[in-house]
Amino acid sequence: MKHSTTPQTRRGQGGPARRIGRSLALVLPVVLVLSGTLAVTRVNWSGNSSSSVLTASDTLSSRTAARAPQDVLRDQLVTELQEKNPGVALTHLQEAVNGHPSLAKHCVAIARALGQAAVRRYGPTKAQSYARPVCDTAFASGVMAANG
């Protein structure tokens, strides 16, 4: 038996099985990525059982419905002022501004709101006794605005 040293070529290298395999190799990753993406968007991440599919409009409306951090802080401090006293609320306002410098531009408005809430809760004389140099004199101007 004689063996040839020249490489032999196979006829029909592009048979149907090979073509199907190549097509699957190209299409399958795309299908898997798309199906995975769609599966993730259909998961109910919000915990709300009424709707399991989130749409772009739902996401946009939930962003606009979310409250600004300064509004949340103001409401927390007003509640704290009513439950404890204005001094505690002013201390926590100063700590919040020191911890989150982005709140500094809202400090005056929050302190003024605290001054007005203090007048409603404690009256003008007692509210003024809690005045501190937090956000300049905004608390005192809030007391004066609620008084006049």
Side-chain angles (χ1 to χ4, degrees):
M1 183 181 233
K2 188 173 187 186
H3 293 282
S4 166
T5 58
T6 60
Q8 295 181 0
T9 58
R10 288 180 45 189
R11 289 192 169 250
Q13 278 186 332
R18 191 170 191 96
R19 280 190 298 246
I20 291 173
R22 285 184 181 170
S23 297
L24 281 176
L26 293 173
V27 174
L28 192 59
V30 174
V31 170
L32 290 174
V33 168
L34 289 176
S35 65
T37 302
L38 293 173
V40 169
T41 59
R42 293 192 57 93
V43 171
N44 183 5
W45 297 104
S46 67
N48 184 0
S49 62
S50 64
S51 172
S52 63
V53 178
L54 295 177
T55 64
S57 63
D58 291 340
T59 305
L60 181 61
S61 66
S62 68
R63 282 188 199 149
T64 57
R67 298 180 60 215
Q70 66 271 12
D71 295 336
V72 172
L73 176 64
R74 182 193 63 233
D75 292 347
Q76 287 174 345
L77 293 174
V78 167
T79 300
E80 189 172 51
L81 177 142
Q82 293 169 349
E83 292 174 353
K84 296 179 182 173
N85 66 55
V88 173
L90 286 170
T91 299
H92 289 153
L93 173 60
Q94 186 66 52
E95 290 171 353
V97 170
N98 290 344
H100 303 283
S102 63
L103 292 171
K105 62 185 173 187
H106 305 287
C107 186
V108 170
I110 294 171
R112 190 172 292 133
L114 290 174
Q116 293 169 349
V119 169
R120 287 190 299 271
R121 174 82 170 143
Y122 298 100
T125 304
K126 184 160 179 160
Q128 186 61 39
S129 71
Y130 287 103
R132 294 187 187 168
V134 176
C135 307
D136 295 325
T137 58
F139 179 81
S141 69
V143 169
M144 296 304 293
N147 207 13

Short mmCIF file of all heavy atoms in Angstrom, two decimals, residues 82-129:
data_model
loop_
_atom_site.label_atom_id
_atom_site.label_comp_id
_atom_site.label_asym_id
_atom_site.label_seq_id
_atom_site.Cartn_x
_atom_site.Cartn_y
_atom_site.Cartn_z
N GLN A 82 -41.04 69.82 64.96
CA GLN A 82 -42.30 69.68 65.68
C GLN A 82 -42.21 68.62 66.78
O GLN A 82 -42.82 68.77 67.83
CB GLN A 82 -43.42 69.34 64.70
CG GLN A 82 -43.71 70.49 63.76
CD GLN A 82 -44.62 70.10 62.61
OE1 GLN A 82 -44.87 68.92 62.38
NE2 GLN A 82 -45.08 71.08 61.87
N GLU A 83 -41.44 67.56 66.54
CA GLU A 83 -41.34 66.49 67.53
C GLU A 83 -40.34 66.81 68.63
O GLU A 83 -40.51 66.38 69.77
CB GLU A 83 -40.95 65.18 66.85
CG GLU A 83 -42.03 64.63 65.94
CD GLU A 83 -41.58 63.41 65.15
OE1 GLU A 83 -40.38 63.05 65.21
OE2 GLU A 83 -42.43 62.82 64.46
N LYS A 84 -39.27 67.53 68.30
CA LYS A 84 -38.22 67.84 69.29
C LYS A 84 -38.20 69.34 69.53
O LYS A 84 -38.96 69.85 70.33
CB LYS A 84 -36.88 67.30 68.82
CG LYS A 84 -36.89 65.77 68.72
CD LYS A 84 -35.59 65.22 68.24
CE LYS A 84 -35.72 63.70 68.12
NZ LYS A 84 -34.58 63.09 67.50
N ASN A 85 -37.27 70.03 68.84
CA ASN A 85 -37.24 71.49 68.92
C ASN A 85 -36.46 72.04 67.73
O ASN A 85 -35.74 71.30 67.05
CB ASN A 85 -36.67 71.97 70.26
CG ASN A 85 -35.20 71.62 70.43
OD1 ASN A 85 -34.36 71.95 69.60
ND2 ASN A 85 -34.89 70.93 71.52
N PRO A 86 -36.58 73.34 67.47
CA PRO A 86 -35.88 73.93 66.33
C PRO A 86 -34.36 73.81 66.41
O PRO A 86 -33.70 73.73 65.38
CB PRO A 86 -36.31 75.40 66.36
CG PRO A 86 -37.61 75.39 67.08
CD PRO A 86 -37.51 74.29 68.10
N GLY A 87 -33.80 73.80 67.60
CA GLY A 87 -32.35 73.69 67.74
C GLY A 87 -31.82 72.38 67.16
O GLY A 87 -30.80 72.35 66.47
N VAL A 88 -32.52 71.30 67.43
CA VAL A 88 -32.12 69.99 66.90
C VAL A 88 -32.23 69.99 65.38
O VAL A 88 -31.33 69.51 64.68
CB VAL A 88 -33.00 68.87 67.52
CG1 VAL A 88 -32.72 67.53 66.86
CG2 VAL A 88 -32.77 68.78 69.02
N ALA A 89 -33.31 70.55 64.86
CA ALA A 89 -33.51 70.60 63.41
C ALA A 89 -32.42 71.44 62.74
O ALA A 89 -31.90 71.07 61.68
CB ALA A 89 -34.89 71.14 63.08
N LEU A 90 -32.07 72.57 63.35
CA LEU A 90 -31.02 73.42 62.77
C LEU A 90 -29.65 72.73 62.81
O LEU A 90 -28.87 72.85 61.87
CB LEU A 90 -30.96 74.76 63.51
CG LEU A 90 -32.10 75.72 63.20
CD1 LEU A 90 -32.07 76.91 64.14
CD2 LEU A 90 -32.05 76.17 61.75
N THR A 91 -29.38 72.01 63.87
CA THR A 91 -28.13 71.25 63.95
C THR A 91 -28.07 70.21 62.84
O THR A 91 -27.04 70.06 62.16
CB THR A 91 -27.99 70.57 65.33
OG1 THR A 91 -27.97 71.58 66.33
CG2 THR A 91 -26.74 69.72 65.41
N HIS A 92 -29.16 69.51 62.64
CA HIS A 92 -29.18 68.48 61.59
C HIS A 92 -29.14 69.10 60.19
O HIS A 92 -28.58 68.50 59.28
CB HIS A 92 -30.40 67.57 61.76
CG HIS A 92 -30.27 66.67 62.94
ND1 HIS A 92 -31.34 66.18 63.62
CD2 HIS A 92 -29.17 66.18 63.59
CE1 HIS A 92 -30.92 65.42 64.63
NE2 HIS A 92 -29.61 65.42 64.62
N LEU A 93 -29.68 70.30 60.03
CA LEU A 93 -29.57 71.00 58.75
C LEU A 93 -28.10 71.31 58.46
O LEU A 93 -27.61 71.07 57.36
CB LEU A 93 -30.39 72.28 58.75
CG LEU A 93 -30.22 73.20 57.53
CD1 LEU A 93 -30.59 72.48 56.24
CD2 LEU A 93 -31.04 74.47 57.70
N GLN A 94 -27.40 71.82 59.46
CA GLN A 94 -25.99 72.14 59.28
C GLN A 94 -25.17 70.89 58.97
O GLN A 94 -24.31 70.89 58.09
CB GLN A 94 -25.42 72.83 60.54
CG GLN A 94 -24.01 73.33 60.37
CD GLN A 94 -23.91 74.45 59.35
OE1 GLN A 94 -24.64 75.43 59.45
NE2 GLN A 94 -23.05 74.30 58.36
N GLU A 95 -25.47 69.80 59.65
CA GLU A 95 -24.76 68.54 59.39
C GLU A 95 -25.06 68.02 57.98
O GLU A 95 -24.16 67.51 57.30
CB GLU A 95 -25.16 67.49 60.43
CG GLU A 95 -24.64 67.77 61.82
CD GLU A 95 -25.22 66.86 62.88
OE1 GLU A 95 -26.15 66.06 62.57
OE2 GLU A 95 -24.78 66.94 64.04
N ALA A 96 -26.30 68.17 57.55
CA ALA A 96 -26.67 67.71 56.20
C ALA A 96 -25.95 68.53 55.13
O ALA A 96 -25.45 67.98 54.14
CB ALA A 96 -28.18 67.80 56.00
N VAL A 97 -25.86 69.82 55.33
CA VAL A 97 -25.17 70.69 54.36
C VAL A 97 -23.67 70.40 54.36
O VAL A 97 -23.04 70.37 53.31
CB VAL A 97 -25.46 72.18 54.64
CG1 VAL A 97 -24.58 73.09 53.81
CG2 VAL A 97 -26.93 72.48 54.38
N ASN A 98 -23.11 70.17 55.54
CA ASN A 98 -21.69 69.83 55.61
C ASN A 98 -21.40 68.48 54.94
O ASN A 98 -20.39 68.30 54.28
CB ASN A 98 -21.20 69.78 57.06
CG ASN A 98 -21.16 71.15 57.70
OD1 ASN A 98 -21.20 72.18 57.02
ND2 ASN A 98 -21.12 71.19 59.02
N GLY A 99 -22.31 67.52 55.12
CA GLY A 99 -22.13 66.19 54.54
C GLY A 99 -22.42 66.12 53.06
O GLY A 99 -21.86 65.29 52.35
N HIS A 100 -23.32 66.97 52.59
CA HIS A 100 -23.71 66.99 51.16
C HIS A 100 -23.67 68.43 50.66
O HIS A 100 -24.70 69.12 50.68
CB HIS A 100 -25.12 66.41 50.98
CG HIS A 100 -25.27 65.02 51.50
ND1 HIS A 100 -24.79 63.92 50.83
CD2 HIS A 100 -25.83 64.56 52.65
CE1 HIS A 100 -25.05 62.84 51.54
NE2 HIS A 100 -25.67 63.19 52.65
N PRO A 101 -22.52 68.90 50.22
CA PRO A 101 -22.37 70.30 49.82
C PRO A 101 -23.36 70.73 48.73
O PRO A 101 -23.65 71.92 48.60
CB PRO A 101 -20.93 70.38 49.31
CG PRO A 101 -20.23 69.27 50.00
CD PRO A 101 -21.25 68.18 50.17
N SER A 102 -23.90 69.80 47.97
CA SER A 102 -24.87 70.17 46.94
C SER A 102 -26.15 70.75 47.54
O SER A 102 -26.91 71.43 46.86
CB SER A 102 -25.20 68.97 46.06
OG SER A 102 -25.82 67.95 46.84
N LEU A 103 -26.40 70.50 48.81
CA LEU A 103 -27.57 71.05 49.49
C LEU A 103 -27.37 72.49 49.94
O LEU A 103 -28.33 73.15 50.34
CB LEU A 103 -27.94 70.19 50.70
CG LEU A 103 -28.47 68.80 50.41
CD1 LEU A 103 -28.59 67.99 51.70
CD2 LEU A 103 -29.82 68.88 49.71
N ALA A 104 -26.15 73.00 49.87
CA ALA A 104 -25.85 74.35 50.36
C ALA A 104 -26.69 75.42 49.67
O ALA A 104 -27.13 76.38 50.31
CB ALA A 104 -24.36 74.66 50.20
N LYS A 105 -26.95 75.25 48.38
CA LYS A 105 -27.73 76.27 47.67
C LYS A 105 -29.19 76.28 48.11
O LYS A 105 -29.91 77.23 47.84
CB LYS A 105 -27.61 76.08 46.16
CG LYS A 105 -28.14 74.77 45.64
CD LYS A 105 -27.87 74.64 44.15
CE LYS A 105 -28.25 73.25 43.67
NZ LYS A 105 -27.86 73.04 42.29
N HIS A 106 -29.63 75.25 48.82
CA HIS A 106 -31.01 75.18 49.31
C HIS A 106 -31.10 75.47 50.80
O HIS A 106 -32.19 75.49 51.36
CB HIS A 106 -31.60 73.79 49.04
CG HIS A 106 -31.51 73.38 47.60
ND1 HIS A 106 -32.31 73.92 46.63
CD2 HIS A 106 -30.70 72.51 46.97
CE1 HIS A 106 -32.00 73.39 45.46
NE2 HIS A 106 -31.02 72.53 45.64
N CYS A 107 -29.97 75.71 51.43
CA CYS A 107 -29.92 75.87 52.89
C CYS A 107 -30.77 77.04 53.35
O CYS A 107 -31.51 76.94 54.33
CB CYS A 107 -28.46 76.03 53.34
SG CYS A 107 -28.26 76.05 55.12
N VAL A 108 -30.68 78.16 52.67
CA VAL A 108 -31.43 79.35 53.08
C VAL A 108 -32.93 79.09 53.03
O VAL A 108 -33.67 79.40 53.97
CB VAL A 108 -31.04 80.56 52.19
CG1 VAL A 108 -31.97 81.73 52.42
CG2 VAL A 108 -29.60 80.97 52.45
N ALA A 109 -33.40 78.48 51.96
CA ALA A 109 -34.83 78.21 51.84
C ALA A 109 -35.30 77.22 52.91
O ALA A 109 -36.39 77.39 53.48
CB ALA A 109 -35.13 77.66 50.44
N ILE A 110 -34.48 76.22 53.19
CA ILE A 110 -34.86 75.23 54.21
C ILE A 110 -34.87 75.89 55.59
O ILE A 110 -35.81 75.69 56.37
CB ILE A 110 -33.91 74.02 54.18
CG1 ILE A 110 -34.08 73.25 52.86
CG2 ILE A 110 -34.18 73.09 55.37
CD1 ILE A 110 -33.04 72.17 52.63
N ALA A 111 -33.86 76.69 55.90
CA ALA A 111 -33.80 77.36 57.20
C ALA A 111 -34.96 78.33 57.37
O ALA A 111 -35.54 78.44 58.45
CB ALA A 111 -32.46 78.08 57.36
N ARG A 112 -35.32 79.03 56.29
CA ARG A 112 -36.46 79.95 56.34
C ARG A 112 -37.75 79.16 56.62
O ARG A 112 -38.58 79.58 57.43
CB ARG A 112 -36.57 80.73 55.04
CG ARG A 112 -37.58 81.85 55.12
CD ARG A 112 -37.53 82.74 53.89
NE ARG A 112 -36.27 83.47 53.88
CZ ARG A 112 -35.49 83.58 52.80
NH1 ARG A 112 -35.83 83.01 51.67
NH2 ARG A 112 -34.37 84.26 52.86
N ALA A 113 -37.91 78.02 55.97
CA ALA A 113 -39.09 77.19 56.21
C ALA A 113 -39.12 76.69 57.66
O ALA A 113 -40.19 76.63 58.28
CB ALA A 113 -39.11 76.01 55.25
N LEU A 114 -37.95 76.37 58.19
CA LEU A 114 -37.88 75.95 59.60
C LEU A 114 -38.27 77.09 60.52
O LEU A 114 -38.97 76.89 61.53
CB LEU A 114 -36.48 75.45 59.94
CG LEU A 114 -36.06 74.11 59.33
CD1 LEU A 114 -34.60 73.82 59.62
CD2 LEU A 114 -36.95 72.99 59.83
N GLY A 115 -37.84 78.31 60.21
CA GLY A 115 -38.22 79.48 61.02
C GLY A 115 -39.73 79.70 61.02
O GLY A 115 -40.34 79.95 62.07
N GLN A 116 -40.34 79.57 59.87
CA GLN A 116 -41.79 79.74 59.77
C GLN A 116 -42.52 78.64 60.53
O GLN A 116 -43.51 78.90 61.22
CB GLN A 116 -42.20 79.79 58.31
CG GLN A 116 -41.68 81.03 57.59
CD GLN A 116 -41.85 80.97 56.09
OE1 GLN A 116 -42.18 79.93 55.52
NE2 GLN A 116 -41.60 82.10 55.43
N ALA A 117 -42.02 77.41 60.42
CA ALA A 117 -42.64 76.29 61.15
C ALA A 117 -42.47 76.46 62.65
O ALA A 117 -43.37 76.12 63.43
CB ALA A 117 -42.03 74.96 60.69
N ALA A 118 -41.33 77.02 63.07
CA ALA A 118 -41.08 77.24 64.50
C ALA A 118 -42.06 78.27 65.06
O ALA A 118 -42.55 78.12 66.19
CB ALA A 118 -39.65 77.69 64.72
N VAL A 119 -42.36 79.31 64.30
CA VAL A 119 -43.33 80.31 64.76
C VAL A 119 -44.71 79.68 64.90
O VAL A 119 -45.41 79.92 65.89
CB VAL A 119 -43.37 81.52 63.80
CG1 VAL A 119 -44.55 82.43 64.09
CG2 VAL A 119 -42.07 82.30 63.88
N ARG A 120 -45.10 78.85 63.95
CA ARG A 120 -46.40 78.19 64.04
C ARG A 120 -46.47 77.27 65.26
O ARG A 120 -47.51 77.15 65.90
CB ARG A 120 -46.69 77.40 62.76
CG ARG A 120 -47.02 78.26 61.57
CD ARG A 120 -47.55 77.45 60.40
NE ARG A 120 -46.60 76.47 59.90
CZ ARG A 120 -45.69 76.69 58.96
NH1 ARG A 120 -45.59 77.88 58.41
NH2 ARG A 120 -44.88 75.73 58.56
N ARG A 121 -45.37 76.64 65.58
CA ARG A 121 -45.35 75.65 66.67
C ARG A 121 -45.13 76.30 68.04
O ARG A 121 -45.77 75.94 69.02
CB ARG A 121 -44.24 74.64 66.39
CG ARG A 121 -43.98 73.64 67.47
CD ARG A 121 -44.95 72.50 67.41
NE ARG A 121 -44.51 71.47 68.32
CZ ARG A 121 -45.34 70.75 69.03
NH1 ARG A 121 -46.61 70.90 68.90
NH2 ARG A 121 -44.87 69.84 69.86
N TYR A 122 -44.18 77.26 68.12
CA TYR A 122 -43.76 77.78 69.41
C TYR A 122 -44.10 79.24 69.65
O TYR A 122 -43.90 79.75 70.75
CB TYR A 122 -42.23 77.62 69.57
CG TYR A 122 -41.78 76.19 69.54
CD1 TYR A 122 -41.24 75.63 68.39
CD2 TYR A 122 -41.91 75.38 70.66
CE1 TYR A 122 -40.83 74.31 68.35
CE2 TYR A 122 -41.50 74.05 70.64
CZ TYR A 122 -40.97 73.53 69.48
OH TYR A 122 -40.57 72.22 69.45
N GLY A 123 -44.56 79.94 68.63
CA GLY A 123 -44.78 81.38 68.76
C GLY A 123 -43.51 82.14 68.42
O GLY A 123 -42.41 81.58 68.46
N PRO A 124 -43.64 83.45 68.12
CA PRO A 124 -42.49 84.20 67.62
C PRO A 124 -41.35 84.38 68.64
O PRO A 124 -40.18 84.29 68.29
CB PRO A 124 -43.08 85.55 67.21
CG PRO A 124 -44.40 85.63 67.89
CD PRO A 124 -44.86 84.23 68.11
N THR A 125 -41.67 84.61 69.88
CA THR A 125 -40.62 84.88 70.87
C THR A 125 -39.78 83.63 71.14
O THR A 125 -38.54 83.67 71.10
CB THR A 125 -41.24 85.38 72.19
OG1 THR A 125 -42.04 86.53 71.90
CG2 THR A 125 -40.16 85.75 73.18
N LYS A 126 -40.45 82.53 71.41
CA LYS A 126 -39.70 81.29 71.68
C LYS A 126 -38.98 80.80 70.43
O LYS A 126 -37.85 80.30 70.50
CB LYS A 126 -40.64 80.20 72.20
CG LYS A 126 -39.87 78.94 72.58
CD LYS A 126 -40.62 78.07 73.51
CE LYS A 126 -39.75 76.87 73.78
NZ LYS A 126 -40.06 76.15 74.94
N ALA A 127 -39.60 80.94 69.24
CA ALA A 127 -38.96 80.51 67.99
C ALA A 127 -37.67 81.30 67.77
O ALA A 127 -36.65 80.73 67.37
CB ALA A 127 -39.91 80.71 66.82
N GLN A 128 -37.69 82.61 68.06
CA GLN A 128 -36.50 83.44 67.87
C GLN A 128 -35.37 83.03 68.80
O GLN A 128 -34.19 83.16 68.47
CB GLN A 128 -36.85 84.92 68.07
CG GLN A 128 -35.73 85.88 67.74
CD GLN A 128 -35.28 85.79 66.28
OE1 GLN A 128 -36.10 85.63 65.38
NE2 GLN A 128 -33.99 85.86 66.05
N SER A 129 -35.70 82.46 69.95
CA SER A 129 -34.66 82.06 70.90
C SER A 129 -33.81 80.90 70.38
O SER A 129 -32.71 80.67 70.88
CB SER A 129 -35.29 81.69 72.25
OG SER A 129 -35.99 80.47 72.14
#
